[in-house]
Amino acid sequence: MGVIYISRRYSTASHLCCCGCGREVVTPLNPAKWRLVEKDGKVSLIPSVGNWSFPCQSHYWISGNRVSWAPGMAPEVIAAVQARDRRDAAKHILQRPGLLARISSVAAEIRRQLVDCYRHWRGRW
């Protein structure tokens, strides 16, 4: 406990849950999820870490290598936070430069291959 593993290559940080339950907490580093701040050899994760899917449902901030506990949250508040997180993630994906163009290009290629396959098999019957 007490170690954050940071992968710049995969834009991810992970650590064991600060409550001590032993579960691994993976925090994707991107504008829709978490941001890692390093200052004077200390790290902070922004925003807080809410482990709503864990039995412990721990909620805390990691700031300057220190853990600060957040108060518990009602189930309806957790559901609202999760819904907002899903919206933010979807918006982030759609805002990635060129993503829609790549999706459109792949879809067009799949369609072309399906049409070619159909024509090939139709000619055999």
Side-chain angles (χ1 to χ4, degrees), residues 15-70:
H15 64 280
L16 294 180
C17 183
C18 292
C19 82
C21 70
R23 293 190 180 249
E24 182 182 17
V25 179
V26 178
T27 50
L29 303 174
N30 67 55
K33 296 290 184 175
W34 285 273
R35 184 169 53 102
L36 183 75
V37 176
E38 296 177 87
K39 184 176 180 183
D40 300 327
K42 297 179 179 182
V43 297
S44 301
L45 276 177
I46 301 167
S48 63
V49 177
N51 298 316
W52 316 127
S53 63
F54 294 177
C56 65
Q57 291 199 333
S58 61
H59 182 203
Y60 47 87
W61 288 272
I62 297 176
S63 180
N65 287 1
R66 293 182 133 8
V67 174
S68 301
W69 291 94

Side-chain angles (χ1 to χ4, degrees), residues 30-34 47-52 59 73 77-93:
N30 67 55
K33 296 290 184 175
W34 285 273
S48 63
V49 177
N51 298 316
W52 316 127
H59 182 203
M73 295 171 72
V77 175
I78 292 171
V81 169
Q82 289 173 319
R84 185 194 67 215
D85 288 349
R86 284 190 298 274
R87 284 191 307 272
D88 289 348
K91 190 170 24 172
H92 172 70
I93 288 170

Side-chain angles (χ1 to χ4, degrees), residues 98-113:
L99 180 64
L100 291 177
R102 287 195 306 269
I103 290 170
S104 179
S105 174
V106 168
E109 178 61 18
I110 290 170
R111 181 182 181 284
R112 186 191 64 72
Q113 289 181 11

